[in-house]
């Protein structure tokens, strides 16, 4: 690891000011991704801006028909929070399936979505629920936020402050996970709110994506059998040592069926 300066601002404005003072500064949240890359010398920020002392970035609150989750809220908090378990149990279940207890106790929702690893779980929930990402500058619909492999709509120096999740009538999440890391080989999040159905797949391709054919079928008939015969093309899916593109395409149908069957 190279030497770096370390700052722990007490509020978002101070964090934004520190970030603007150096092109080579980086935000650190849980450090679960950033610190290993620094140890491997794949990243060498000259300053780390630690968001860990900004109270308004932590916690879950209910706001009418939305759950608002602060960017520095850990996966463990989302998994165990009473309001999340009551209003969007599929989101609590998703958070509970991330990594191991150490990762869940350090990793944060803001760090996860800013990083946008193609195998991470949260992008499926954000797109699958039609959530909104809030930053220190604006609000961004989840459909527009995740833009490609490790790419998001965030500008340089922009800080994720939280995520607003609309509460659905019913939602479910299932993933086929890598047995070593628990990252998603394929994970599918489904939700239904009135006649609006969303199906979002993570792990399968370079970035989370919606599956419109499944959304139409489930809007007609909310039942696992509705997606039974829908097979997505493997052309643009990922192939790596864990699974071929064809296998990921197959898993997308299987995980969608299970997510509908499991939806609460
Ligand atoms: C062993 C292991 C297993 C894992 N398994 C899974 C899994 O099964 N599923 C899964 O989804 N994830 C998994 N993860 C990822 C983990 O859950 C974290 O979410 C992820 O590492 C990033 O979150 P973090 O808070 O640690 O962010 P950090 O590592 O601190 O930061 C990651 C990146 O996001 C930026 N950033 C952080 N916070 C903000 C913010 N508020 N605004 C703007 N930019 C920001 C940082 O500058 C950095 O570039 C795993 C990680 C490990 C190490």
């Amino acid at each position: 690891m190279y030497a770096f300066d370390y700052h722990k601002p007490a509020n978002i404005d101070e964090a934004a000011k520190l970030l603007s003072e150096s092109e080579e500064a980086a935000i650190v949240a849980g450090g679960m991704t950033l610190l290993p890359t620094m140890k491997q010398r794949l990243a060498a920020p000259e300053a780390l801006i630690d968001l860990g002392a900004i109270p308004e970035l932590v916690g879950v609150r209910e706001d009418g028909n939305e759950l608002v989750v602060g960017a520095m809220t850990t996966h463990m908090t989302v998994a165990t929070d009473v309001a999340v378990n009551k209003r969007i149990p599929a989101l609590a279940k998703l958070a509970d399936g991330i990594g191991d207890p150490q990762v869940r106790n350090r990793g944060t929702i803001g760090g996860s979505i800013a990083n946008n690893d193609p195998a991470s779980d949260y992008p499926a929930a954000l797109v699958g629920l039609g959530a909104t990402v809030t930053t220190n500058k604006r609000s961004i619909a989840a459909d527009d936020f995740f833009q490609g492999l490790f790419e998001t709509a965030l500008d340089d120096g922009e800080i994720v402050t939280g995520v607003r999740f609309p509460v659905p009538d019913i939602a479910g999440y299932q993933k086929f996970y890598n047995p070593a890391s628990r990252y998603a080989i394929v994970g599918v999040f489904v939700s239904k709110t009135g006649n609006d159905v969303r199906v979002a797949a993570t792990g399968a391709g370079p970035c989370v994506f919606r599956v419109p054919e499944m959304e139409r079928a489930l809007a007609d008939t909310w039942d696992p059998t509705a997606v039974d015969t829908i097979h997505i093309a493997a052309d643009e899916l990922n192939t790596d040592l864990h699974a071929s593109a064809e296998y990921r395409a197959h898993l997308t149908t299987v995980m969608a069926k299970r997510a509908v069957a499991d939806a609460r």
Side-chain angles (χ1 to χ4, degrees), residues 36-237:
T37 55
M38 289 173 65
K39 284 183 182 168
Q40 292 164 356
R41 297 191 165 191
L42 297 171
E46 67 180 26
L48 285 188
I49 318 297
D50 186 343
L51 301 183
I54 305 179
E56 64 263 40
L57 294 181
V58 183
V60 179
R61 65 182 171 83
E62 296 183 70
D63 184 12
N65 208 31
E66 289 186 324
L67 286 185
V68 185
V69 182
M72 285 297 287
T73 309
T74 62
H75 312 324
M76 186 62 86
T77 297
V78 174
T80 55
D81 183 86
V82 174
V84 179
N85 276 279
K86 184 170 159 218
R87 304 202 65 190
I88 319 181
L91 182 61
K93 177 185 169 162
L94 175 147
D96 193 46
I98 294 176
D100 49 43
Q102 289 82 357
V103 169
R104 290 196 287 279
N105 275 298
R106 293 291 315 170
T108 66
I109 188 168
S112 176
I113 64 172
N115 194 47
N116 194 18
D117 187 303
S120 59
D121 294 281
Y122 271 123
L126 268 73
V127 174
L129 288 164
T132 303
V133 179
T134 55
T135 77
N136 59 327
K137 295 180 179 164
R138 57 191 168 140
S139 297
I140 310 168
D143 286 341
D144 302 324
F145 182 81
F146 301 103
Q147 298 200 334
L149 188 75
F150 294 106
E151 288 287 329
T152 70
L154 289 174
D155 292 332
D156 285 347
E158 191 167 6
I159 302 170
V160 175
T161 53
V163 182
R164 302 185 78 92
F165 290 99
V167 176
D169 298 342
I170 188 165
Y173 181 67
Q174 285 282 316
K175 75 168 161 175
F176 189 84
Y177 59 83
N178 179 317
S181 68
R182 303 242 284 175
Y183 272 108
I185 290 178
V186 172
V188 177
F189 199 102
V190 298
S191 77
K192 185 175 189 307
T193 309
N195 294 326
D196 182 26
V197 171
R198 282 178 167 256
V199 178
T202 189
C207 185
V208 63
F209 59 88
R210 290 174 69 180
V211 190
E213 310 93 291
M214 292 188 183
E215 292 179 349
R216 283 193 291 274
L218 288 167
D220 278 350
T221 314
W222 181 264
D223 189 88
T225 56
V227 294
D228 236 356
T229 55
I230 300 176
H231 303 290
I232 63 164
D235 304 2
E236 291 177 14
L237 302 189

Side-chain angles (χ1 to χ4, degrees), residues 4-7 22 24-27 44-49:
F4 56 87
D5 292 333
Y6 175 79
H7 304 278
S22 159
E24 302 299 326
I27 292 169
E46 67 180 26
L48 285 188
I49 318 297

